Amino acid sequence: MCGFVGIVDFSKKINMMKGHDALKSLEHRGPDAQGSWSDDHHIYLGHNRLSIIDVSKKANQPFLSSKEDALIVFNGEIYNYMELRKQLSFDSFKTNSDTETILEGYLEKGVEFFKKLRGIYAFVILDRRGPGQILMVRDPAGVKPLYYTVQNRTIIFASEIKAIKKLSIESNRINNISIKHYLNLGYIPEPNTVYKNIFAVNPGYYFIWNCNENILKKPFYQYSFDSYNSLSFKDNLEHTYQKIEKAMDRNLVSDVEVSFALSGGIDSSLLYYFANKKDNEIIAKTIGFSKESRYDETNISKIYSSRLKGNHEIIDIQKKIGLELIDRLFLHFDQPFADSSAIPTYFITKNISEYGKVIIGGDGGDELFNGYPSQNWLLRFFPFSHYHRTWGMLNCLGKVLPARNRRQLNRVKNLTKYHNDIMDVMYNRNSWFPLGSKIDGVNAFINPDINEQLESYRHIFEQDMPEKDEGKILFDYFRKKLLSDYLRKTDMMSMLNGVEWRVPFLDEDLSSFAFTIPFNQKSNLITGKKHLRALHKRLYPKHTSLKPKAGFTIPLDSFITKKNKKRMANEILKKESYVTTFINRSYIELLVEQFNHYNNARDISRASVYQRVLILYVLQRWYDTK
């Protein structure tokens, strides 16, 4: 796991000092070694290394091929690199690294070699053969980030946006549509960023640039969201077991110690079983909230570790959160980002960094195996959403449903008041500032134009959009929030601490298989993740397998002092504040009132209040410091 930056400009000489300065801004991603390479002042490649596979100096980067006809800068891990070496005629490897395997594999097999990679990765290859070209490649799930900008026959790329900004003044123009997406979602959906001229490389794609302004974009690995297998539940269950076990074996490939992030949920505890089975010395870490029992999962995680007789440690962060930390963490994202679960992610990786470099998490299980109740409610009730008689019957049904299911039913109904297309509904399904959002009759947005946002959202995904509603729902959860929120959070917070966050559920073979399991076999209106729960029941006490879906959130308002709450309010309500360009001041005042004295007086939950305040605060702080 590393961080890199590159500039290619054949029209003029590059300022190498600026290149070094940009590389320095990424030192946190790779504290073990730093290196750079340049060619006649028209090309600069810089790399900060976090040494995990082959920690020797020979494997440092930028890495030059055996014939010196290509170079690579690489962030991530290829778990099956030793298997791939056996498939190559090249046998003069000078390192035991996955980096060299990628480079020599590409030179021998071409871009088809990328399909065989199993791991988490983003890399750039400078191919110096013939006229030369630049290849930018990113793993199919998008675990590792890669950003770029192209201007006037110059390409700049980096692992984080902050490095690009140091090299390009033209890349600082704000994209207002991205700001509106952020207010709606709490993050900005890729490949867009908050800047008009900076983009993310699409997951599962390779981009080719040959000194022209246009970039050729081609997929090398694509998931099928519309095709299902015909296997029985039992057969799919056994295949799932085997795929998870294989994925975990791969994710334990390392020349340094590996740890585990254990929550109270189904996904991480299931993976923990397989990790412990392979290595019973692996240590599991759990974040604790000693004063907030509703959010604390330490008791159930202790059950898991006790059952497996594993090493387990609780990290209580109750007294460690303040506004200074919030500023530091969220401004580190380089663009507006307001998922509060970044805070516990930071603390668990900070703890790991004191003695190790790798941690494994349970991300992706919900997206692959239908873990979100809203997936099932949307699929089953959206087709009837515009038939008033049907909704009348469903309203009667809702009266006898449990409160959690009744909320799902009402959410679908409310969303379909405004939208006829399921993708438009998906865009707004978890909106923090939804269309028609009000408190005490006060509108949230100033002159909202929802069609502008929806058109932008459709354009982002139109190239890869599945045809069927089931496929669209799976695609949206996988390609929107998982990609642009959860995976960005784990990467940015873990790498801030010089730690690699691995995600076995997103192993290419496991995830591809999971999408072939029929939608209705994986879940129904009452139960999600049927296959994972069935496996879980084999391994742990039955009551732990019935646990409902819970997010990795924190009660932010209980961590912030009254003094700091006032500071947050002053930021978003100050004269000529940036947030009031989009959100009504009077609406913000009502949010702040509830943030300070939540009393359930209005139709908004406690979590929605503090999350919306955080979204506005982060936006204002980002704008002031950008």
Side-chain angles (χ1 to χ4, degrees), residues 537-553:
K537 288 177 184 177
R538 295 182 184 177
L539 311 174
Y540 297 110
K542 184 177 180 179
H543 74 277
T544 64
S545 305
L546 302 175
K547 188 175 181 292
K549 168 68 182 168
F552 192 39
T553 56

Side-chain angles (χ1 to χ4, degrees), residues 3-19:
F4 60 77
V5 62
I7 320 165
V8 180
D9 187 346
F10 290 107
S11 64
K12 58 184 178 181
K13 288 189 175 182
I14 296 170
N15 185 328
M16 294 299 164
M17 291 306 297
K18 284 189 175 182

Side-chain angles (χ1 to χ4, degrees), residues 193-236:
T193 72
V194 74
Y195 300 105
K196 287 185 176 181
N197 295 321
I198 300 178
F199 303 93
V201 172
N202 299 70
Y205 274 69
Y206 64 91
F207 287 11
I208 298 177
W209 187 77
N210 56 4
C211 309
N212 296 317
E213 290 190 24
N214 294 325
I215 291 179
L216 178 65
K217 305 176 182 180
K218 289 190 175 184
F220 66 89
Y221 194 104
Q222 289 185 298
Y223 294 98
S224 175
F225 297 93
D226 280 334
S227 301
Y228 297 129
N229 68 48
S230 58
L231 300 176
S232 67
F233 181 93
K234 181 179 179 181
D235 287 341
N236 276 324

Side-chain angles (χ1 to χ4, degrees), residues 423 427 453-461 476 480:
M423 286 309 296
Y427 176 73
Q453 292 171 242
L454 291 174
E455 184 178 347
S456 170
Y457 174 63
R458 294 189 202 105
H459 179 69
I460 289 172
F461 297 112
D476 183 272
K480 190 174 69 180

Side-chain angles (χ1 to χ4, degrees), residues 324 353 360 400 415 436 490:
E324 292 75 16
S353 70
I360 293 175
V400 299
L415 285 171
T490 52

Side-chain angles (χ1 to χ4, degrees), residues 140-152:
V143 178
K144 303 314 302 170
L146 180 52
Y147 301 95
Y148 72 96
T149 185
V150 178
Q151 300 160 17
N152 302 321

Side-chain angles (χ1 to χ4, degrees), residues 294-312:
R294 176 185 169 190
Y295 294 85
D296 189 85
E297 296 185 318
T298 56
N299 287 337
I300 194 167
S301 66
K302 288 177 182 177
I303 294 174
Y304 298 141
S305 61
S306 177
R307 171 60 65 97
L308 301 181
K309 299 179 180 179
N311 296 322
H312 188 213

